[in-house]
């Protein structure tokens, strides 16, 4: 059984890289406190995690990418289809997908991806970081 923890991206980014070609890991780019706490908790508990980026789709922690600015309101239908395809392709090997639902920042785009994913029976949402667990059972 493979479990992964996921959260969505944030518009609060390290703007010092905006006009740079520097490639960044997700913790370097996303500066919002809830995102940083999510990442820190996953690292501490040594669990697999990723970010759902409005620009890049599923972004695993070992991948570097350029700074971007893409609001979920600007995602077109074609881009949504690509994000959904990327979500399903990159998470297909996980039997459990735990999506951190920060209620104050959870855009309808993310709920739409969850509901339309071919993996939706494997997806659980949670809103408290204390629910992140490195056991192999359900939270």
């Amino acid at each position: 059984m493979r479990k992964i923890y996921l959260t969505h991206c944030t518009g609060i980014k390290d703007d010092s890289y905006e006009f740079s070609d520097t490639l960044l890991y997700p913790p370097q780019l996303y500066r919002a406190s809830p995102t940083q706490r999510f990442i820190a908790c996953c690292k501490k508990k040594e669990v697999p995690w990723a970010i759902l980026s409005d620009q890049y789709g599923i972004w695993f922690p070992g991948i570097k990418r350029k700074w971007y600015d893409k609001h979920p309101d600007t995602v077109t239908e074609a881009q949504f289809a690509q994000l959904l395809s990327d979500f399903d392709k990159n998470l297909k090997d996980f039997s459990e997908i735990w999506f951190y639902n920060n209620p104050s920042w959870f855009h309808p785009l993310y709920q739409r991806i969850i509901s339309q994913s071919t993996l939706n029976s494997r997806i659980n949402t949670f809103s408290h970081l204390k629910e992140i667990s490195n056991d192999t059972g359900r939270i």
Side-chain angles (χ1 to χ4, degrees), residues 13-118:
K13 299 178 179 78
D14 187 336
D15 291 338
S16 67
Y17 294 102
E18 182 175 1
F19 300 106
S20 163
D21 287 330
T22 303
L23 297 176
L24 307 165
Y25 293 113
Q28 294 173 290
L29 178 63
Y30 299 116
R31 303 313 304 163
S33 296
T35 307
Q36 286 291 315
R37 285 192 298 269
F38 168 83
I39 292 169
C41 188
C42 289
K43 286 180 173 183
K44 180 179 179 183
K45 300 223 176 156
E46 300 179 339
V47 296
W49 63 274
I51 304 286
L52 175 57
S53 162
D54 303 329
Q55 177 74 29
Y56 297 119
I58 297 299
W59 189 353
F60 292 103
I63 304 294
K64 288 183 168 185
R65 294 194 164 126
K66 285 179 64 169
W67 190 98
Y68 72 95
D69 186 25
K70 175 100 177 138
H71 192 279
D73 286 345
T74 67
V75 172
T76 66
E77 285 303 311
Q79 291 166 337
F80 174 80
Q82 182 58 43
L83 289 172
L84 184 60
S85 173
D86 182 82
F87 185 96
D88 288 347
K89 180 183 84 173
N90 280 294
L91 299 177
K92 71 180 175 10
D93 292 333
F94 293 95
S95 56
E96 293 184 42
I97 302 161
W98 290 86
F99 203 128
Y100 180 48
N101 174 3
N102 183 340
S104 62
W105 292 18
F106 204 70
H107 193 276
L109 174 74
Y110 310 128
Q111 185 57 53
R112 189 173 166 211
I113 287 173
I114 289 171
S115 64
Q116 292 186 27
S117 170
T118 61

